[in-house]
Amino acid sequence: MDADRVQPKSPSEVLLGDDRAQLDAFVEDYRGTIEATLDGLTEEQARRRLVPSATTLLGLLKHVTWMQRVWFEECVGGKSRRELGLVQGPDASFKLGAGDTIASVTAAYREACATARAAVADLPLDAVVTGHRGGPRTLHWVYLQVLRELAHHSGHADILREQILAD
């Protein structure tokens, strides 16, 4: 594992922990899992399209970067997508530019994760956050949504990596 990755407690270490410790452990576990799907791949492999959609391993990491920025910087932090320089919808968040590399997308991902951690560090799970254009919700709900997205896309990434390595 890369030395720059956060080394959180694993979910199995917080079986009797409070809700926050458990949610943090699961979110961090999936953050690390999806990032690790790029380990040892070439730029071409990371960009390889194996399905009809724009989904690639590098595109998945770019999308979950966008997703975390939406939930933690827009919803929790109260900044608009325009202020944040984010594309407006999820489909566009998968698209790779010519300058997107494993290193650049990973760096943006790690920055988004660090910003997310800082945004919620002093907030209780029952805090109501109001920055999302869909309306107010609790921080607990945001955690569950992010966990759902990370788990969903980690599964996609695992399958794509398996297919790439089988070639």
Side-chain angles (χ1 to χ4, degrees), residues 73-95:
E73 295 177 49
E74 178 185 27
C75 185
V76 176
K79 292 185 179 176
S80 72
R81 292 179 193 188
R82 186 171 315 283
E83 287 176 274
L84 295 167
L86 297 175
V87 296
Q88 293 301 304
D91 290 344
S93 71
F94 285 90
K95 293 182 181 163

Side-chain angles (χ1 to χ4, degrees), residues 9-100:
K9 289 185 176 183
S10 77
S12 63
E13 292 178 278
V14 293
L15 297 173
L16 301 175
D18 64 17
D19 286 349
R20 183 60 169 268
Q22 291 175 347
L23 287 169
D24 281 335
F26 274 93
V27 166
E28 292 298 340
D29 188 54
Y30 277 112
R31 281 176 173 157
T33 297
I34 198 162
E35 183 181 341
T37 62
L38 293 173
D39 287 353
L41 298 184
T42 65
E43 295 292 335
E44 183 278 326
Q45 288 172 317
R47 288 175 162 273
R48 189 176 299 164
R49 285 181 61 178
L50 299 169
V51 295
S53 71
T55 305
T56 64
L57 283 173
L58 195 57
L60 279 168
L61 193 64
K62 190 170 181 179
H63 168 71
V64 296
T65 300
W66 174 86
M67 176 272 299
Q68 290 189 89
R69 293 194 67 201
V70 165
W71 290 114
F72 294 112
E73 295 177 49
E74 178 185 27
C75 185
V76 176
K79 292 185 179 176
S80 72
R81 292 179 193 188
R82 186 171 315 283
E83 287 176 274
L84 295 167
L86 297 175
V87 296
Q88 293 301 304
D91 290 344
S93 71
F94 285 90
K95 293 182 181 163
L96 297 172
D100 287 327

